[in-house]
């Protein structure tokens, strides 16, 4: 689904994406404890136990799973390159997201 969006020039990198995964309840166990956004290399991801809207990306050999890709919300963090709504909300590091501000603060002993 991400590669199709890249081909159509709706996103540049996968970090610009916020996929919504629609999955049948009986398959949710496969996602327990998994950071799906990290695995998919996206800024964020949502998982829904509901049927996908018309036009969602599907694979024939994986029934009951569909994906809709949208643009991630926020601005691009200069450190991790994720698109996050918290970028710009920190005076000391205006170009970083909260996660990176915390990492930089810990590394420099400011935390």
């Amino acid at each position: 689904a991400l590669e199709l969006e890249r081909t159509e020039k709706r996103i540049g990198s996968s970090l610009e994406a916020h996929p919504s995964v629609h999955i049948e309840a009986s398959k949710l166990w496969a996602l327990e404890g998994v950071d799906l956004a990290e695995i998919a290399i996206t800024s964020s991801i949502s998982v829904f136990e509901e049927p996908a809207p018309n036009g969602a990306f599907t694979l024939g050999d994986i029934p009951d799973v569909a994906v809709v890709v949208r643009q991630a919300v926020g601005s691009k963090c200069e450190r991790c390159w994720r698109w996050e709504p918290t970028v710009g909300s920190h005076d000391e590091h205006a170009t970083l997201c909260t996660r990176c501000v915390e990492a930089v603060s810990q590394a420099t002993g400011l935390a």
Side-chain angles (χ1 to χ4, degrees):
L2 291 170
E3 289 307 314
L4 291 175
E5 294 300 305
R6 286 172 49 101
T7 300
E8 293 296 322
K9 308 278 190 227
R10 289 188 281 261
I11 61 170
S13 78
S14 60
L15 287 170
E16 293 180 24
H18 176 93
S20 295
V21 178
H22 297 264
I23 186 168
E24 183 181 290
S26 66
K27 292 182 172 56
L28 278 175
W29 64 268
L31 300 178
E32 287 180 22
V34 174
D35 186 345
L36 199 51
E38 188 73 24
I39 291 170
I41 312 173
T42 60
S43 288
S44 55
I45 201 161
S46 297
V47 177
F48 297 99
E49 268 184 69
E50 58 188 46
N54 290 334
F57 175 82
T58 59
L59 292 172
D61 57 339
I62 305 175
D64 305 318
V65 177
V67 178
V68 176
V69 178
R70 292 187 176 82
Q71 180 74 34
V73 175
S75 299
K76 184 178 179 179
C77 174
E78 282 189 347
R79 182 173 178 269
C80 69
W81 296 7
R82 288 183 176 192
W83 288 72
E84 295 285 337
T86 61
V87 172
S89 63
H90 305 281
D91 292 335
E92 69 279 12
H93 298 290
T95 60
L96 302 182
C97 67
T98 298
R99 185 179 77 128
C100 288
V101 167
E102 291 171 1
V104 168
S105 295
Q106 287 178 358
T108 59
L110 299 175

